Amino acid sequence: MSWMSGVTCRVREWQAQRARWKADMERFKTEQRAARKSGGRMPENPGPPPTGFALLPWLLMGMGAFSNIFQGKTPNPWIGGVGLLAFNSLYIFVTFRAFVKEKRESRSTRVALAVMGLLTCGLAIGYGGSWLYFFPLLGLATGAVLRGPWLGQIGLGVTALAAVVSFFRAGWDAVNVAYGTFLSTMVTAAILSLSEAVRELRAAREELARRAVEKERLRFSRDLHDLLGHTLSVIVVKSEAARRLAHRDLDAALVQVTDIESVGRQALTEIREAVTGYREGSLATELDRARSALTAAGVEPLVRQSGTPLVPQTEALLGWVVREAVTNVVRHSGATRCDITVDGTPERVSLTVTDNGPGTSIPDPASIPGPASAPAPAPAFTAAGSAPPTAPAPAPGTGGTGLKGLTERLATAGGSLSAGPTAGGGFRVRAELPVDSGDLAEATDLRRTPGFPGTRAGRVARLT
């Protein structure tokens, strides 16, 4: 039944691609209407998804052969029927693999194309007539699969083969068959090559935009370094002055200490603002770190990412989910494989992290072994001197303290997070967020949620 599961997965992929294309087209139409009203720049048409369905209608060229078999005009109809079924199967197999570069260049695809050529020659020589129109279909499949300098030579070879076989069976009508074969080969190769080049240019443009953003963030980090260097230098100088004055003039030393406190508080405020505004890590960076961490832990990572580019606030939230989920996989799951899937539409984006570990990814914090004599951490106190309220117990389906904080954070941004064991074993964490929301900026401010990963309370919670 493995082939059935493969077919089911392929159908689901086609459905997902079509759903994304419909969403992209709706967004394109909306942006197009807005651009016409405002007189701005027209948006780029996303176009249909590149799948083999675009080449299936050409199989109607074989309806003549099918009609001959159905009407009993073909000798040995069982052989002709099996040949027709085999040709159509090979055509579908080859054309659907032609839209994935790795599959298109694989040996199995080339072997299937060669078998398709031999079958075409056998059917055309044996039956002639309408069966000769299988040569243009062979040319179409050839143009869909082949790229590069060999395309012209092989295309001319297929055309010559079609001309010779057709001349043997139909005389000068071979000119039409040969012309159709050559035209289908070259036009298909040109259209698909151009479409692939456009997709690669779009991907390159998105990559350049992402790198430009990361470069700008690096510049901000250098500015932050300069800020820290200046502030720390002032603190060092004033500390030395306070030390020298402490024995002679206590009041002057206290003035210096007060200045140190003021400079430190101001620096803390500036650093928080800079970090919150400028140093939110991108999702791509977190995915790269996740791959590295999983590989180092002996877990095979599989990362899939699709959809439209995300705003920085959404990337920051999803980056925290990736970090928390992957940390739990590495520390607690005992898994050998971890799948990370990011799937976005113009309205919402989802992130799923699934492992195949034998146990749960979020253990009970009390069950984690530690030194028996380790004292309990002292509670942090607020400015008024009172201890802050303790973090609530994790809600069902949201795991430990880290995932609890993430759940609250995503809920603030209009999203959701669920976590729990899967039916076939392992653990799954799934987060959903709106692509653009007014609450995202508030949700990404890490200073507002006690117990959120990255804050002091969050680190204490993680250690317990």
Side-chain angles (χ1 to χ4, degrees):
M1 298 297 292
S2 59
W3 65 274
M4 283 294 296
S5 60
V7 171
T8 303
C9 292
R10 182 61 59 86
V11 171
R12 290 177 179 173
E13 290 178 2
W14 292 335
Q15 292 175 346
Q17 290 178 357
R18 183 168 181 81
R20 287 193 294 267
W21 172 65
K22 288 183 177 180
D24 291 342
M25 286 302 298
E26 289 297 329
R27 184 186 61 175
F28 165 74
K29 293 178 181 178
T30 303
E31 294 177 354
Q32 188 180 45
R33 287 192 294 266
R36 286 176 179 174
K37 291 180 180 179
S38 62
R41 182 179 179 182
M42 297 296 292
E44 186 177 2
N45 192 330
T51 64
F53 286 107
L55 303 179
L56 287 185
W58 293 102
L59 283 176
L60 295 176
M61 296 179 64
M63 288 299 295
F66 177 78
S67 177
N68 291 338
I69 294 176
F70 186 75
Q71 295 177 4
K73 298 180 180 180
T74 301
N76 299 320
W78 286 104
I79 297 178
V82 172
L84 180 62
L85 178 62
F87 179 88
N88 290 341
S89 301
L90 288 172
Y91 178 86
I92 294 173
F93 176 79
V94 170
T95 53
F96 272 86
R97 294 174 67 88
F99 290 87
V100 181
K101 184 176 181 181
E102 293 76 13
K103 295 181 179 180
R104 182 177 66 231
E105 297 177 352
S106 65
R107 179 177 299 179
S108 59
T109 304
R110 304 297 173 87
V111 171
L113 184 62
V115 173
M116 185 178 172
L118 295 176
L119 183 61
T120 303
C121 291
L123 294 174
I125 293 174
Y127 294 112
S130 300
W131 297 83
L132 296 175
Y133 292 112
F134 284 4
F135 276 109
L137 291 175
L138 175 63
L140 193 148
T142 303
V145 170
L146 297 181
R147 300 285 189 275
W150 288 98
L151 173 63
Q153 301 178 19
I154 296 179
L156 291 176
V158 172
T159 302
L161 179 63
V164 172
V165 174
S166 301
F167 185 80
F168 172 75
R169 292 293 305 185
W172 288 107
D173 287 341
V175 176
N176 297 329
V177 176
Y179 177 73
T181 303
F182 178 79
L183 197 64
S184 64
T185 303
M186 296 306 171
V187 171
T188 302
I191 292 176
L192 295 185
S193 298
L194 180 61
S195 176
E196 186 175 354
V198 170
R199 293 196 301 272
E200 291 178 352
L201 286 175
R202 287 177 180 173
R205 183 176 59 187
E206 294 175 359
E207 178 66 18
L208 289 175
R210 186 180 68 85
R211 291 190 178 186
V213 172
E214 291 186 352
K215 183 178 180 180
E216 188 68 8
R217 285 175 176 162
L218 180 60
R219 185 179 72 84
F220 284 129
S221 68
R222 289 196 296 265
D223 294 344
L224 182 61
H225 174 270
D226 296 339
L227 172 65
L228 281 175
H230 170 73
T231 304
L232 292 178
S233 299
V234 173
I235 291 176
V236 169
V237 171
K238 288 186 172 294
S239 299
E240 292 177 350
R243 178 176 54 83
R244 290 194 302 267
L245 294 172
H247 302 289
R248 297 176 301 180
D249 190 347
L250 185 59
D251 293 336
L254 290 176
V255 171
Q256 297 296 329
V257 172
T258 303
D259 291 342
I260 292 174
E261 181 182 4
S262 176
V263 171
R265 290 183 181 277
Q266 181 64 27
L268 183 60
T269 301
E270 293 176 353
I271 291 172
R272 283 176 175 171
E273 292 176 353
V275 171
T276 303
Y278 302 147
R279 298 195 68 189
E280 293 172 349
S282 66
L283 180 59
T285 302
E286 292 298 336
L287 291 175
D288 291 340
R289 292 174 179 172
R291 288 191 188 95
S292 178
L294 291 170
T295 303
V299 181
E300 178 186 0
L302 180 59
V303 180
R304 303 184 186 92
Q305 187 174 5
S306 61
T308 58
L310 304 176
V311 297
Q313 293 87 348
T314 303
E315 286 201 2
L317 286 173
L318 294 182
W320 280 109
V321 177
V322 170
R323 180 180 298 184
E324 178 69 22
V326 169
T327 300
N328 290 324
V329 171
V330 172
R331 295 180 60 186
H332 310 305
S333 70
T336 59
R337 178 187 175 91
C338 180
D339 296 345
I340 305 175
T341 304
V342 182
D343 190 6
T345 65
E347 292 79 19
R348 296 187 70 83
V349 60
S350 65
L351 167 69
T352 306
V353 181
T354 308
D355 65 71
N356 64 346
T360 60
S361 292
I362 312 296
D364 183 1
S367 65
I368 301 177
S373 60
F381 290 89
T382 61
S386 60
T390 57
T398 58
T401 306
L403 291 181
K404 175 63 177 178
L406 285 172
T407 304
E408 297 173 354
R409 181 66 58 177
L410 267 64
T412 303
S416 62
L417 185 139
S418 61
T422 60
F427 199 85
R428 177 185 292 116
V429 176
R430 179 176 177 83
E432 290 190 2
L433 274 173
V435 172
D436 191 6
S437 171
D439 297 331
L440 286 174
E442 179 181 357
T444 51
D445 189 350
L446 303 184
R447 295 171 293 171
R448 300 188 182 183
T449 300
F452 188 76
T455 63
R456 181 181 183 277
R459 289 193 295 269
V460 172
R462 288 293 300 270
L463 290 175
T464 59

